[in-house]
Amino acid sequence: MDHRCLSHALAVRPFRLRPRPLAAACATALLLSSIAPGVLAQDATQPPPANDSSTQATTPAGQTPAKADKKNQKKSEDSVSQLDAVIVTGIQASIQSSQRAKENSNSIIEAISAEDIGKLPDSSIAESLSRLPGLATQRVAGRADMISIRGTSPDFTGTTLNGREQATIGENRGVEFDQYPSELISGAAVYKTPDATLIGQGLSGTVDLHTIKPLDLPKQTIALNVRGEHTTNGELNPSSGVNTWGHRASFSYIDQFFDHTLGVAVGVAQLDSPIQERQYQAWWWANNNGPDGAEGIWGAPHTPGLPEGVISQEGMQLRARSERQLRNGLMTVIEWAPGDSYHSTLDLYYSTFNQRQITNGLQWSSSPYDNVSYSDVGVTPKQPYPIVTSGVISGLKPIMQNEYNKEHDKLFSAGWNNQYDFGNGWQGTADLSYSSAKVNLHDAYLFTGLPGGATTTSAFSNHADNGYPYFTPGTDFTNPANVAFTDPDNYGYNGREEFDKQKDTIKAIRLEMSHPLGWIFSTVDFGVDYSDRKKTKTADVSFVFLNGNGNGVDAPYDHDFSTPINPSVLYNPSYIGYGGVPGIINYDVLDALRSQFYLVPRNGAGDYSRNYTIEEKVPVAYARFNIDTTLGDIPLGGNVGLQAVRTDQSSDALQTNNSGDLVGHISGGTKYNKFLPSLNLKAEIGERQYLRFGFAKTMTRGRIDDEKVASSAYVYQVLDGPQAGQVAWTGSGGNPKLKPYVAVGTDLSWEKYFGKASFLGAAVFHKNLLNYIYNKTVLDHDFSNNINDTPTLVPTSNIGSYTLPENGTGGKMDGVELSWNLEGALAAQALDGFGVQGNFSLTNSSIPVSSVSSIPGGPKTLPGLSRKVANLALYYEKYGFSVRVAERYRSAFTGEAVALFDQLGYQQVLADKQTDVQLGYAFDQGRWSGLSILLQVVNATNSPYKTVQISGLPNGTQVMRPLDFNSWGRTVMFGVNYKL
């Protein structure tokens, strides 16, 4: 249900400002859901209003919409009293509401609506959004999390809550949707073409989440939702505090007071969800022995026992990750409409999100530089070289790494919207908002291995393609007598601990006026918006050393020093049997850290650069002219407008030298202006048949951490070349002068609506990226603000080389989208209650490789770009029963991943497919009326997450080999929903 529903259709609110597409859609769907089926079938064929502005255009002359509503309020209230319930219920009603939103919009949008209060059609908002045409999700910990629109990075997706930009817990701008309880969200609209009044818009599109509005309902409503949750992957790390069972629960209370002029909505939701993740990663694949391998071309050591001219794996890790997510959310909305002229809404959202993660793993390197040897080698024929798929490796140094991660997030959003009718057609809006996201992260890991640098052997059996391998090591890693705390691979330390803090705040004020016009324009909306966003991050890092090892002047660090694990910190072994190894040692990382190690605070190279503050002050002025006219006999609606955006960005951060030592503070920033025109046209070319056109210039600022001024800079003496003997500056870091991504997009869409909930649509789009941001080394960087901590070296010039994110060449994207919703009854009466939903998107890109190839991790395409995205859902809903089977697919893409210690990385992700099943029954009469039961199976086919290595061999041949193979099992949820 949309937060603006029923305000006009039921006239329970005397004042209405700026009708929106979701309002008309939800009002219609909510009313239809409560009317007899025969009337529903009859009304469903009636065409909707021509466009968003039609409500204002059809009011009596000289009256504002507010006055017209007031005049008919008594009649509407009489109608309301005859309705048993006015709510969105069931799959078909949700589809109807979503389609009405899409049909009535002047922009090209997609929409989702809740099936009932506290019940979206999927297990999360991200899952529901990912099923919309042109949208895809990247799975994180097995769950849909961040959203890509039309093949672009999640950073390019703007996200708002009730029209207000949201702070984020990551270092980028992409919202992690699992932070928002689906039970407290009533719907969402995805704007693929913006208009001038859309603040916080993204380069690829904007997702606007909605909470409920209490005055949209005609009477008091109470809803309770409880679900049990179970994951099928088993308990991988015993005693970690994470098992296989969880729950979800929510409670909503909505009521109206004082003759329906004051409304209150309160919702609470809790998620306690377990995640058990089985991980495998191949470190690298290479051709080593022989004249065509690393031995013959680079002079690498010969690997005894390994045949010549074969591809072999050079390292691996098996890991068992157990994670518990505990989220508590609270939503409150107070709505007041005391008379004809004034309407006020205060909405508050608060949530805490706690994640506790235990990851235990076994790893080893088997490269030619590690003095390993092979025997009993078996190969599988492949092109361009055979693949080593079995054998025995001797001389392995096993490394066991036990990790602890705990993250505590707090999100808070507050918005106060005031609307006033000044008379004579003048209407005004004042909106104040505040959004904050706070993150506290604690990471720690410790190493164990074989005492004294001992080695072991392992038989192995690999798949020639993706899948779990099978290892049979010659050592029992579950026996504490065989394992010790040590430095198993000469890292120079025994572990690491980090405490991160991050705070992101957005303060905003918006003022808007609206007035009727003449000629082809129904109204004009114009206003200003000012926002101040500030993100601060600190990282406190310490390296961990064993007690008694290197902690004194006369006791230098010893790589082979080892200590037995204190029995008091031991748990039952971790399970990694899916990779053949029965198990590995499992212990309490924090207890061991405090009792057997000491800490040396040291940020080291790259860590200080994650301490920074970035602020963006953004005033926006805009005007939108709403079109309401005819082109011959064709009704034509839409809008044309302009945004003028001023950005003042600044950053304060730390400067380090070549050794990673802190040498000072640094600051920088820039200011720039952008003008963003937009045009949306909507022609009704037949009965409920529309042709839409959109043209807009959009912008998105770069990743927030790319705008940081944090840098590592130092002077050095040039040893060779034309400048030999000179002292020069060099360094790397962020770019506080970074300008935004800018694109010009053109969209053309055809839509046909028919039946009760049927739809056909086809769209094409073209997006011209005027610039892109990529890492670049510039030779004329000014180091005047940097501190030279080497007085003995005086730089010849303050100009030197610097590697930083930089604006560069853009590119183009083109795509086509097909979508459909079809009711079975249209084909045959026997299929009444059945339906099918689907969509397919094809996106091509001509982004230059040079624009992104130098990003760390090496993506060769736009992160998040899947050329093909498809969704298919079959459903049945009748006599209280409901069944839905849904599958989503996206082709291979370069995905953004957060590596250890919250740092950004990229992976080449293979095609991903997930199937979900939902079964339900709703009691609509008798003593159980209002009760519904629900069974959901998420990832019913246990679809894994797979990545690959695509690289060149020494002889120039390119190969693709599997890297990651991770599985999360199935998630089964069963619960009840009860509504009064």
Side-chain angles (χ1 to χ4, degrees):
M1 180 187 320
D2 181 68
H3 72 288
R4 291 162 285 197
C5 293
L6 289 180
S7 58
H8 191 69
L10 298 182
V12 294
R13 258 186 337 203
F15 176 72
R16 176 173 172 81
L17 181 72
R18 285 173 43 204
R20 299 286 183 90
L22 283 177
C26 288
T28 305
L30 297 181
L31 284 170
L32 292 179
S33 67
S34 62
I35 301 176
V39 179
L40 178 62
Q42 180 180 358
D43 289 351
T45 61
Q46 300 301 314
N51 53 58
D52 296 354
S53 305
S54 60
T55 303
Q56 294 177 332
T58 56
T59 55
Q63 292 189 18
T64 65
K67 293 180 180 178
D69 286 355
K70 183 64 176 178
K71 182 177 180 180
N72 297 313
Q73 182 177 1
K74 181 63 169 64
K75 182 178 178 179
S76 296
E77 287 175 345
D78 292 340
S79 299
V80 171
S81 65
Q82 299 173 11
L83 301 178
D84 294 329
V86 187
I87 51 174
V88 175
T89 58
I91 298 173
Q92 294 189 49
S94 175
I95 294 173
Q96 291 177 36
S97 178
S98 300
Q99 286 190 181
R100 290 287 178 174
K102 183 178 178 69
E103 183 177 3
N104 291 344
S105 173
N106 275 334
S107 299
I108 298 176
I109 73 166
E110 309 294 343
I112 55 173
S113 297
E115 296 177 11
D116 204 340
I117 295 173
K119 193 168 69 174
L120 272 173
D122 282 285
S123 60
S124 74
I125 296 182
E127 299 278 0
S128 295
L129 289 171
S130 67
R131 301 195 190 282
L132 295 175
L135 275 68
T137 185
Q138 181 175 338
R139 286 196 286 175
V140 177
R143 313 290 176 89
D145 187 6
M146 305 185 78
I147 295 295
S148 295
I149 299 178
R150 289 178 165 174
T152 59
S153 167
D155 292 343
F156 295 166
T157 300
T159 303
T160 59
L161 179 64
N162 295 326
R164 306 178 183 103
E165 191 175 2
Q166 295 298 289
T168 60
I169 64 168
E171 292 188 74
N172 56 9
R173 302 181 190 276
V175 167
E176 297 185 11
F177 286 92
D178 60 359
Q179 298 283 330
Y180 296 91
S182 58
E183 298 87 349
L184 302 184
I185 300 297
S186 59
V190 180
Y191 290 83
K192 293 181 176 177
T193 60
D195 64 53
T197 66
L198 189 62
I199 304 298
Q201 58 188 251
L203 193 78
S204 59
T206 305
V207 179
D208 187 20
L209 306 177
H210 310 305
T211 56
I212 200 168
K213 286 293 187 69
L215 292 184
D216 287 349
L217 272 70
K219 63 180 182 179
Q220 180 191 87
T221 303
I222 299 175
L224 176 66
N225 192 325
V226 179
R227 302 182 204 181
E229 180 177 333
H230 174 66
T231 180
T232 63
N233 246 5
E235 190 171 349
L236 302 180
N237 294 296
S239 306
S240 65
V242 183
N243 52 32
T244 60
W245 293 92
H247 71 268
R248 303 181 181 205
S250 67
F251 173 80
S252 300
Y253 169 79
I254 306 166
D255 210 344
Q256 305 80 28
F257 307 93
F258 305 116
D259 196 23
H260 221 98
T261 61
L262 178 66
V264 176
V266 178
V268 294
Q270 183 179 80
L271 167 74
D272 187 349
S273 180
I275 299 172
Q276 300 285 352
E277 181 176 354
R278 302 178 177 185
Q279 299 182 347
Y280 169 70
Q281 184 181 73
W283 281 358
W284 197 250
W285 295 81
N287 180 0
N288 289 320
N289 288 354
D292 291 337
E295 178 187 21
I297 296 177
W298 293 338
H302 180 82
T303 305
L306 193 66
E308 293 186 3
V310 296
I311 302 292
S312 62
Q313 183 178 321
E314 296 199 348
M316 75 88 193
Q317 65 177 10
L318 278 166
R319 304 205 303 175
R321 172 171 291 172
S322 300
E323 180 177 342
R324 182 189 179 196
Q325 296 183 345
L326 179 62
R327 181 191 61 209
N328 293 289
L330 170 66
M331 179 269 294
T332 301
V333 180
I334 301 174
E335 194 175 9
W336 187 37
D340 294 354
S341 301
Y342 180 64
H343 177 262
S344 178
T345 305
L346 174 67
D347 53 85
L348 307 170
Y349 171 71
Y350 175 78
S351 74
T352 61
F353 197 81
N354 294 291
Q355 300 178 78
R356 185 175 183 272
Q357 188 179 95
I358 303 296
T359 306
N360 298 330
L362 169 69
Q363 55 189 288
W364 55 57
S365 175
S366 52
S367 79
Y369 295 93
D370 291 299
N371 299 317
V372 300
S373 62
Y374 283 75
S375 60
D376 299 326
V377 174
V379 298
T380 299
K382 281 278 186 179
Q383 292 296 329
Y385 295 101
I387 307 297
V388 175
T389 52
S390 63
V392 177
I393 310 177
S394 301
L396 292 170
K397 283 190 174 183
I399 305 166
M400 281 161 285
Q401 182 171 315
N402 292 49
E403 303 172 18
Y404 168 89
N405 176 286
K406 184 176 182 180
E407 183 174 330
H408 178 66
D409 306 330
K410 289 184 179 180
L411 274 72
F412 176 71
S413 293
W416 184 29
N417 184 272
N418 296 273
Q419 302 174 347
Y420 192 79
D421 187 342
F422 295 94
N424 296 320
W426 287 99
Q427 299 173 348
T429 301
D431 189 275
L432 297 172
S433 63
Y434 174 83
S435 177
S436 71
K438 298 179 181 179
V439 180
N440 284 281
L441 177 71
H442 180 195
D443 272 326
Y445 66 75
L446 298 173
F447 296 126
T448 54
L450 303 183
T455 63
T456 189
T457 63
S458 179
F460 67 93
S461 175
N462 275 336
H463 291 271
D465 298 305
N466 274 289
Y468 286 117
Y470 201 87
F471 295 96
T472 309
T475 302
D476 180 5
F477 298 116
T478 67
N479 186 350
N482 296 334
V483 178
F485 286 125
T486 187
D487 180 2
D489 201 32
N490 296 336
Y491 290 118
Y493 55 93
N494 301 107
R496 194 173 186 269
E497 184 176 36
E498 177 174 338
F499 292 90
D500 279 5
K501 290 185 178 181
Q502 182 175 288
K503 183 178 181 180
D504 188 15
T505 60
I506 302 176
K507 303 173 185 177
I509 181 172
R510 180 172 180 172
L511 303 174
E512 180 177 298
M513 293 295 294
S514 178
H515 191 269
L517 290 180
W519 192 40
I520 65 173
F521 301 113
S522 59
T523 58
V524 60
D525 305 312
F526 57 93
V528 294
D529 180 274
Y530 178 81
S531 65
D532 186 346
R533 180 171 195 167
K534 189 174 185 179
K535 186 181 283 280
T536 301
K537 179 169 183 176
T538 60
D540 183 10
V541 178
S542 295
F543 283 80
V544 176
F545 297 87
L546 276 166
N547 291 335
N549 186 21
N551 59 346
V553 176
D554 298 326
Y557 180 78
D558 180 4
H559 291 286
D560 292 330
F561 185 88
S562 60
T563 300
I565 303 174
N566 189 329
S568 65
V569 304
L570 287 170
Y571 293 148
N572 290 329
S574 297
Y575 172 75
I576 53 174
Y578 43 88
V581 182
I584 56 173
I585 206 76
N586 182 18
Y587 55 89
D588 188 316
V589 172
L590 293 187
D591 279 357
L593 182 66
R594 304 306 177 217
S595 62
Q596 296 187 251
F597 297 84
Y598 68 96
L599 302 177
V600 176
R602 187 176 71 184
N603 279 276
D607 290 320
Y608 274 122
S609 65
R610 292 185 291 125
N611 292 257
Y612 60 83
T613 296
I614 294 172
E615 186 169 15
E616 297 172 338
K617 297 179 180 180
V618 183
V620 179
Y622 62 88
R624 182 185 70 176
F625 295 85
N626 300 302
I627 301 171
D628 185 9
T629 186
T630 58
L631 187 64
D633 296 331
I634 299 176
L636 182 67
N639 54 68
V640 59
L642 177 70
Q643 274 192 7
V645 184
R646 170 75 167 174
T647 302
D648 180 357
Q649 67 189 36
S650 59
S651 175
D652 296 300
L654 303 177
Q655 178 202 342
T656 60
N657 60 18
N658 192 33
S659 300
D661 299 322
L662 177 64
V663 297
H665 291 73
I666 191 171
S667 62
T670 191
K671 300 177 182 179
Y672 56 86
N673 300 314
K674 295 294 179 182
F675 296 93
L676 308 176
S678 61
L679 171 67
N680 290 283
L681 296 176
K682 172 186 174 184
E684 187 174 1
I685 58 177
E687 183 178 354
R688 301 190 68 191
Q689 185 176 180
Y690 306 92
L691 190 64
R692 300 176 183 271
F693 174 78
F695 176 83
K697 186 177 183 180
T698 56
M699 61 167 269
T700 293
R701 297 172 188 86
R703 287 182 55 92
I704 294 179
D705 53 348
D706 278 349
E707 294 179 3
K708 66 187 178 185
V709 73
S711 70
S712 172
Y714 58 95
V715 295
Y716 72 104
Q717 189 166 22
V718 181
L719 299 179
D720 51 24
Q723 297 180 339
Q726 296 185 11
V727 176
W729 276 103
T730 189
S732 63
N735 184 0
K737 299 183 182 296
L738 199 63
K739 302 296 177 60
Y741 300 91
V742 178
V744 175
T746 306
D747 292 76
L748 183 64
S749 173
W750 171 82
E751 301 166 3
K752 171 62 179 177
Y753 301 84
F754 53 98
K756 299 178 184 178
S758 294
F759 161 79
L760 292 174
V764 293
F765 67 90
H766 172 79
K767 194 172 290 290
N768 183 17
L769 291 173
L770 303 183
N771 63 56
Y772 198 82
I773 296 173
Y774 62 103
N775 278 9
K776 179 181 179 180
T777 299
V778 296
L779 303 178
D780 57 352
H781 184 78
D782 187 355
F783 287 87
S784 299
N785 293 328
N786 291 80
I787 298 174
N788 178 12
D789 69 328
T790 312
T792 57
L793 294 177
V794 180
T796 307
S797 169
N798 284 328
I799 304 299
S801 64
Y802 193 76
T803 302
L804 76 170
E806 188 68 273
N807 296 104
T809 306
K812 296 179 180 180
M813 295 177 62
D814 299 275
V816 59
E817 297 171 350
L818 305 175
S819 54
W820 60 90
N821 296 327
L822 298 173
E823 307 158 70
L826 295 176
Q829 189 58 36
L831 297 178
D832 184 37
F834 288 93
V836 57
Q837 294 177 279
N839 57 73
F840 172 78
S841 303
L842 178 67
T843 305
N844 291 313
S845 168
S846 61
I847 302 297
V849 172
S850 60
S851 295
V852 292
S853 61
S854 58
I855 297 176
K860 305 302 181 185
T861 61
L862 279 174
L865 176 61
S866 286
R867 188 169 183 265
K868 299 176 183 179
V869 175
N871 290 277
L872 183 66
L874 304 175
Y875 70 87
Y876 172 80
E877 186 176 48
K878 199 171 183 180
Y879 308 120
F881 292 96
S882 64
V883 180
R884 186 168 66 96
V885 180
E887 183 172 273
R888 68 170 184 259
Y889 168 85
R890 68 180 302 184
S891 59
F893 66 99
T894 299
E896 180 182 303
V898 176
L900 188 63
F901 294 111
D902 203 28
Q903 299 191 66
L904 178 65
Y906 293 93
Q907 295 176 325
Q908 188 70 26
V909 184
L910 292 184
D912 187 38
K913 182 168 63 175
Q914 179 173 313
T915 303
D916 301 328
V917 179
Q918 175 179 305
L919 308 174
Y921 182 79
F923 299 86
D924 58 0
Q925 58 185 352
R927 62 183 299 184
W928 300 109
S929 178
L931 177 68
S932 61
I933 57 177
L934 183 70
L935 172 66
Q936 291 177 296
V937 182
V938 180
N939 193 22
T941 60
N942 192 17
S943 171
Y945 174 90
K946 299 177 289 186
T947 70
V948 295
Q949 166 195 331
I950 303 177
S951 61
L953 297 178
N955 65 355
T957 304
Q958 190 177 69
V959 298
M960 176 187 294
R961 295 302 304 144
L963 284 182
D964 294 276
F965 191 91
N966 302 335
S967 72
W968 299 276
R970 302 168 183 85
T971 299
V972 181
M973 291 179 284
F974 178 79
V976 297
N977 180 278
Y978 186 67
K979 178 166 53 59
L980 294 173

